[in-house]
Amino acid sequence: MDALHPRLLVTRFTDCFRFYAAVLPGLIGADLAHGDEQGPYAHWDVRGEGAVTLFDRAAMAEVAGTASLPASAPAPSQDAVMLVTRVDDVDTAHALCLSHGAHAVTAPAARPEWGPTLRTAHVRDPEGNLLELQSY
């Protein structure tokens, strides 16, 4: 049985698929369980449990009855969701993400105000979703 896991509703499915296919194995040991870059759906598992899912935003909007609404909030706006993953080495994980198309938000840094040994870095995936890479 899958635990609660994120399903990212994306407009740039192919770009996001390529990004996550490249970084999830190294970041969290995830394997592609279903789907390909053609979409509209793909998911990655860790040891048989759901970890991350991508779904085409327009396809989900049709199902949810929201297709007539705007696809995004007026820009700029604050983030409402962030994906967080614990990694062995924040610097290595940050470099991996950047090498596969992520955009840097914050460089790897110590965050003693959040935890005595915590280090984090933040990136955005091709869709603009915020990811936190952390070690402690």
Side-chain angles (χ1 to χ4, degrees), residues 19-100:
F19 173 75
Y20 286 105
V23 303
L24 285 175
L27 291 179
I28 63 171
D31 298 310
L32 179 64
H34 181 81
D36 60 33
E37 68 181 41
Q38 302 306 309
Y41 176 89
H43 75 265
W44 288 263
D45 290 353
V46 174
R47 293 181 297 282
E49 296 289 326
V52 176
T53 301
L54 296 180
F55 196 66
D56 180 77
R57 187 180 298 176
M60 189 68 231
E62 287 294 326
V63 171
T66 59
S68 63
L69 298 175
S72 61
S77 63
Q78 295 178 353
D79 296 287
V81 175
M82 176 174 68
L83 299 178
V84 179
T85 187
R86 187 174 179 183
V87 296
D88 291 331
D89 184 312
V90 171
D91 297 88
T92 300
H94 187 253
L96 174 67
C97 290
L98 295 180
S99 73
H100 290 286

Side-chain angles (χ1 to χ4, degrees), residues 12 14 27 33 88 109 111:
R12 298 175 55 194
T14 299
L27 291 179
D88 291 331
R111 302 270 182 220

